[in-house]
Amino acid sequence: MNNNDSVLYDVIISGAGPVGLFLACEVALAKCSVLVLEKSDTADSPLKKFPFGMRGLNAPSIEALDRRGLLQEFELHKRFKNPHQTSITEGPRRQVGHFAGIPFLEGNINTSQWKYHLPSSPPASLMTEMAEIETILTRRADSLGVIIKRGEAVTEFRQTENEVTVQTDSHSYKSKWLVGCDGARSSVRKIGRFEFAGTEPEFTGYSAQVDIVNPEVLSPGRVVTDKGMYLQSQPGYINLQDFDKGSFHSSDKPITLEHVQEVFRRISNTDVTISALHMATTWTDRARQATKYRHGRILLAGDAAHIHSPLGGQGLNLGLGDAMNLGWKLAATIHGTAAEGLLDTYQTERQPIGMQVLDWSRAQVAIMSPGPSARALNAIFRDLISTTDGATYFAGRVWGIHTHYDLGEGHPLLGHSVPNFEFNDGVKMNDFLHAGKWISINFDSYPVKNSLGLAELLIRPDGIIAELKKA
């Protein structure tokens, strides 16, 4: 076995997905040495590209990327329509999201209810793909000196009071900290014996690229039936939900054309015919969360810390939020500048948000399930989401508009993401956060166009307001 014990990294991150890469960038931005170990030999995969790899970024993720000067590098969203759309593509009737397959429309959302989301703020939602995110973050990581080693799966590790020794099949590495960002089947979580508590699945979900002989027999959009759900969001791209308690997903059986067609016909109650199956993957609504995000010098982030169904597209955003929260705290701990207990606030701040997302996922499954009770609830939710207040509420939840941390009593903005104030000279608040440092602002000395009645702000490196003073 080759031995790299002579190098002591500040942080080793297992997993080079978006969460691991973003965390690597955050820690490296604070002048810490970072090694990323990724089990896959290559970053390329058709599952990371359109349409399988489509992902929606919510407001906290978009703000985080903007605060690090990365948002302008995203281009894919300019070249296609919202994949949730069906026949309506423009105007106030445009679908911009959904809850349990029930769409909310752009024209029903009253953004004036979000008084801290200023006109100078970046958009509240944006479509991209996994491949684009990883390309941008890999480029950024390289520029910051992050070392990425592919084909290196973590097989074992042991920790002492001061460091962690990480083993792969062919190498040994040492670091001060190890973070598992290695997905739903995290090796770091399993080797570290983190408890992963939660609920078992209700369905097997299918995402498939197919050729359909008779697409006219299908109803448009996301259709909930008494057998499950089906959606043809793009020509030849289908999503299915079969309420089988997740049995097919866990069976390791091959996903054949015949099987997908049988499930599709049964759920849609049509004679839909598939002539070719080009690609397919399965997933479930299993919802689990680590009871602790840290054991000694081992931490978890992203899907390694929490899993749930992809309904509403919140998994990636939850993980990016973990990385933004953890990065500066871990770096301060490494540099010896952290206040006592700072690193423990990673769990106390992020775990409740993870639980909210898991419950949000469970609630969607509950009203998509077959049966008269679920259908009755579904009808009520449809009525609610068609109203202005309903659409505004659901959009606010899906887009993370009100995400915040409990930093004590006081002004409503305490613990919230700092609004992207526009200063009189045209500079915006997010521009000050590119370096990932604490920011203190006095609006009397540096006036803004709309101070929201505030005089002074102390802003954390992740853009959260830690202290404030009213005008």
Side-chain angles (χ1 to χ4, degrees):
M1 176 181 290
N2 294 326
N3 198 305
N4 292 334
D5 284 354
S6 59
V7 178
L8 177 65
Y9 295 94
D10 289 321
V11 183
I12 291 177
I13 296 172
S14 177
V19 177
L21 290 169
F22 192 39
L23 178 61
C25 292
E26 285 297 287
V27 178
L29 185 63
K31 310 301 182 185
C32 297
S33 59
V34 185
L35 170 65
V36 177
L37 301 175
E38 167 56 46
K39 66 180 180 180
S40 177
D41 291 324
T42 177
D44 294 331
S45 168
L47 295 177
K48 295 180 180 180
K49 298 178 181 178
F50 176 85
F52 284 87
M54 292 298 300
R55 296 293 186 273
L57 297 178
N58 68 8
S61 296
I62 295 167
E63 289 168 350
L65 293 165
D66 193 38
R67 286 166 182 163
R68 298 301 185 252
L70 295 171
L71 187 59
Q72 68 269 22
E73 297 187 31
F74 285 78
E75 296 288 338
L76 191 63
H77 66 96
K78 302 174 183 177
R79 303 201 300 267
F80 58 81
K81 299 297 183 183
N82 188 322
H84 296 299
Q85 293 168 212
T86 54
S87 60
I88 298 172
T89 59
E90 302 292 345
R93 302 295 296 172
R94 184 169 71 98
Q95 179 180 337
V96 289
H98 75 90
F99 177 82
I102 306 169
F104 49 84
L105 306 179
E106 186 173 47
N108 287 344
I109 299 170
N110 179 10
T111 58
S112 68
Q113 294 186 18
W114 307 334
K115 60 181 180 179
Y116 300 126
H117 194 76
L118 300 175
S120 52
S121 302
S125 66
L126 180 149
M127 297 306 300
T128 182
E129 64 178 10
M130 292 289 282
E132 182 179 48
I133 299 171
E134 290 186 8
T135 297
I136 291 169
L137 292 177
T138 298
R139 186 164 58 236
R140 176 61 177 270
D142 287 341
S143 72
L144 292 169
V146 173
I147 298 173
I148 302 173
K149 292 182 179 287
R150 296 189 177 275
E152 293 267 28
V154 173
T155 58
E156 190 55 74
F157 58 79
R158 62 183 184 274
Q159 62 173 314
T160 66
E161 184 178 350
N162 298 314
E163 63 185 39
V164 184
T165 302
V166 179
Q167 303 284 349
T168 68
D169 286 335
S170 57
H171 293 87
S172 174
Y173 302 96
K174 283 190 174 181
S175 68
K176 297 174 184 176
W177 298 88
L178 170 64
V179 187
C181 299
D182 46 349
R185 299 181 179 180
S186 169
S187 295
V188 172
R189 186 186 68 235
K190 293 174 182 176
I191 296 168
R193 297 183 179 180
F194 286 79
E195 182 182 2
F196 206 43
T199 53
E200 290 304 299
E202 294 294 325
F203 65 76
T204 293
Y206 298 79
S207 296
Q209 185 178 3
V210 298
D211 291 340
I212 301 176
V213 175
N214 52 342
E216 69 277 0
V217 303
L218 302 171
S219 298
R222 192 180 300 264
V223 181
V224 177
T225 74
D226 59 357
K227 301 290 178 58
M229 184 282 299
Y230 72 89
L231 165 69
Q232 185 177 206
S233 61
Q234 299 286 335
Y237 176 64
I238 61 172
N239 275 306
L240 308 172
Q241 284 171 229
D242 184 16
F243 282 81
D244 64 348
K245 300 294 183 182
S247 62
F248 184 84
H249 177 77
S250 61
S251 70
D252 293 326
K253 294 179 181 178
I255 311 172
T256 64
L257 183 153
E258 292 76 17
H259 176 74
V260 173
Q261 179 168 275
E262 183 277 322
V263 173
F264 202 0
R265 285 180 170 179
R266 174 163 45 82
I267 289 174
S268 66
N269 194 31
T270 70
D271 64 349
V272 63
T273 299
I274 299 173
S275 60
L277 176 65
H278 301 288
M279 193 183 312
T281 186
T282 63
W283 39 276
T284 75
D285 59 309
R286 179 179 284 108
R288 291 187 174 274
Q289 185 177 35
T291 56
K292 293 183 178 180
Y293 283 15
R294 175 190 174 191
H295 283 170
R297 291 183 171 271
I298 316 299
L299 298 116
L300 302 177
D303 288 352
H306 36 69
I307 59 171
H308 56 89
S309 86
L311 295 171
Q314 301 208 31
L316 170 63
N317 295 294
L318 186 57
L320 293 176
D322 290 346
M324 192 70 166
N325 185 285
L326 175 59
W328 69 275
K329 295 176 180 178
L330 187 54
T333 302
I334 291 166
H335 289 308
T337 60
E340 184 177 355
L342 176 66
L343 195 55
D344 292 331
T345 66
Y346 166 58
Q347 173 172 319
T348 58
E349 291 183 353
R350 293 303 301 172
Q351 196 175 47
I353 293 175
M355 182 57 69
Q356 289 174 6
V357 171
L358 263 64
D359 283 344
W360 185 257
S361 172
R362 292 182 180 114
Q364 293 181 79
V365 175
I367 66 169
M368 297 177 83
S369 303
S373 296
R375 286 200 299 273
L377 283 171
N378 195 290
I380 292 172
F381 274 84
R382 286 184 181 276
D383 287 344
L384 289 173
I385 293 175
S386 68
T387 67
T388 297
D389 285 345
T392 304
Y393 167 79
F394 282 95
R397 283 292 302 267
V398 171
W399 295 342
I401 296 295
H402 308 297
T403 300
H404 67 283
Y405 304 129
D406 183 4
L407 298 186
E409 299 294 329
H411 193 278
L413 265 175
L414 188 65
H416 283 252
S417 175
V418 63
N420 193 32
F421 293 107
E422 184 173 359
F423 295 84
N424 288 354
D425 60 3
V427 176
K428 295 182 180 179
M429 178 63 75
N430 286 354
D431 297 331
F432 290 115
L433 291 162
H434 287 187
K437 298 182 181 298
W438 286 82
I439 299 293
S440 178
I441 292 285
N442 183 307
F443 289 148
D444 289 334
S445 302
Y446 197 4
V448 294
K449 296 181 178 181
N450 178 8
S451 70
L452 297 175
L454 300 175
E456 296 180 11
L457 294 176
L458 180 62
I459 305 158
R460 302 187 334 188
D462 57 355
I464 298 299
I465 297 177
E467 296 178 10
L468 56 80
K469 181 179 178 180
K470 292 189 287 188

